Amino acid sequence: MTIDFPEGYELSTDPARLDAELIHQWLSLDSYWALGRPRAKQDRAIANSLNFGVYDRASDAQVGYARVVTDRATFAWLCDVFISPAVRGKGLGTALAAGVRDHLAPYGLRRIMLATADAHGVYAKAGFEPLAQPERWMALGS
């Protein structure tokens, strides 16, 4: 499955390009899953994760973000996926999910997980599916 990045945008894993202040603003003010997350906690999450930024090629402005928690051998958790409201509807969310998938492919991971309340269709276009046996999964915390 190949999903091309929309024209005029690019994906990067270069941590030097990340706009940590903008990422914190998006997640702590505009996401349903990280509302009120302190900046120090967000910075620690960035420092300890594999990060993906989406950038407007013309301005080099960051317009999207995702991070992955992984051992790079067996498992990965895709989280904090966010596309700026100003550029939503252009396929960037699906392209970001697919870019993460493709970046992780060489590791031969058994499973890449994520949780979403409202973007199932976005992730399905990148190949993600509901859990086959959700009764086997458990969580500590909410």
Side-chain angles (χ1 to χ4, degrees), residues 11 18-19 22-24 26-27 33 37 42 45-47 49-55 62-68 78-84 96 100 123:
L11 182 67
L18 295 173
D19 184 337
L22 179 62
I23 293 166
H24 177 253
W26 284 338
L27 297 178
W33 64 91
R37 183 182 287 168
Q42 183 60 49
I46 289 171
S49 300
L50 175 58
N51 299 278
F52 296 80
V54 179
Y55 302 91
Q62 187 169 352
V63 298
Y65 175 73
R67 70 184 182 91
V68 173
L78 172 59
C79 54
D80 288 346
V81 178
F82 194 91
I83 298 296
S84 170
L96 174 55
V100 169
Y123 297 109

Side-chain angles (χ1 to χ4, degrees), residues 18-19 29 35 38 45 59 62 67 91-92 136 140 142:
L18 295 173
D19 184 337
L29 299 177
L35 287 177
S59 67
Q62 187 169 352
R67 70 184 182 91
L92 290 169
R136 290 187 177 187
L140 181 61
S142 56

